[in-house]
Amino acid sequence: MVVHLGMVSGSRAGALSDDEVDRLFHALADATRRDIVARTLRTDQSISALASGYAMSFAAVQKHVAVLESAHLVRKERRGREQLVRAEPETIRRAGEQLRRYEAIWNERAVAIERILAGDLATARAAGVSSTDGATRETDERKDASQ
C-alpha cells in the first residue's frame, strides 16, 4: 500500500514523487554518501578531493556520487579539467519536508491516543472512580494479603 502525504486539494503540492522519495532515501541510507553531501554543502569539491577522504577507490567514490546525483542531492559541474560536485540544498529541503509529513502523521496519532485516553478518564470520573482509586485499592489488597 502506498500512502501519499501532504495532499492539498487533490494534489501533492511540492511533494516528491514516490520514485524520488525512493532514490532520495536510498542515497541517504549510506554513511559515505551522507558524508559526501555534508562535505559538498560546505564547499564544492572535485571527485578527487572527495576520494582522498575515504579508504576506497576513486571509482567507488564516483559511484557514490552517481547515486547522489540520480537522487538530485548533488550535481556535477565541469570547471576546466575538473568536475566539481555541488550539493543541491533544494532537494535536501524537500527531503526535510517529506520527513515533517511523516512526523505530522505520527503527531496526529499521538493526539488521537491522548483523546482516547482523556475520554476513558472522563468516563471513569463520570462513574465516580478517581484515577488513583484503582491503584490505592490494589495496594490495600496487597497489604491485607501479606498480614
Side-chain angles (χ1 to χ4, degrees):
M1 180 173 108
V2 176
V3 176
H4 294 284
L5 305 174
M7 297 297 278
V8 178
S9 302
S11 69
R12 297 188 312 153
L16 299 166
S17 72
D18 291 336
D19 287 341
E20 288 171 319
V21 171
D22 290 346
R23 278 192 303 275
L24 176 71
F25 288 110
H26 168 75
L28 292 173
D30 182 85
T32 300
R33 291 192 290 263
R34 289 190 305 273
D35 188 61
I36 290 170
V37 170
R39 289 173 63 188
T40 58
L41 279 167
R42 289 183 196 99
T43 184
D44 299 353
Q45 297 203 15
S46 68
I47 295 178
S48 298
L50 288 169
S52 70
Y54 305 108
M56 64 180 71
S57 69
F58 179 85
V61 173
Q62 278 184 312
K63 287 180 183 179
H64 281 298
V65 169
V67 170
L68 291 168
E69 197 172 23
S70 74
H72 304 287
L73 285 162
V74 300
R75 71 171 192 248
K76 291 189 286 190
E77 292 181 2
R78 182 156 297 281
R79 284 201 194 145
R81 293 180 352 161
E82 285 189 315
Q83 279 203 1
L84 294 181
V85 180
R86 169 178 285 172
E88 290 284 0
E90 176 62 19
T91 303
I92 295 164
R93 184 192 64 74
R94 291 174 71 196
E97 288 176 1
Q98 187 73 26
L99 291 172
R100 284 186 288 282
R101 287 183 189 100
Y102 288 125
E103 182 181 23
I105 291 170
W106 177 255
N107 288 336
E108 289 170 10
R109 180 178 178 185
V111 167
I113 290 169
E114 287 175 8
R115 287 184 182 145
I116 290 168
L117 293 175
D120 287 347
L121 185 57
T123 302
R125 285 185 180 146
V129 178
S130 74
S131 61
T132 59
D133 283 351
T136 305
R137 189 175 30 241
E138 186 176 309
T139 303
D140 291 342
E141 289 171 2
R142 280 193 213 136
K143 283 181 188 174
D144 291 341
S146 66
Q147 292 176 355

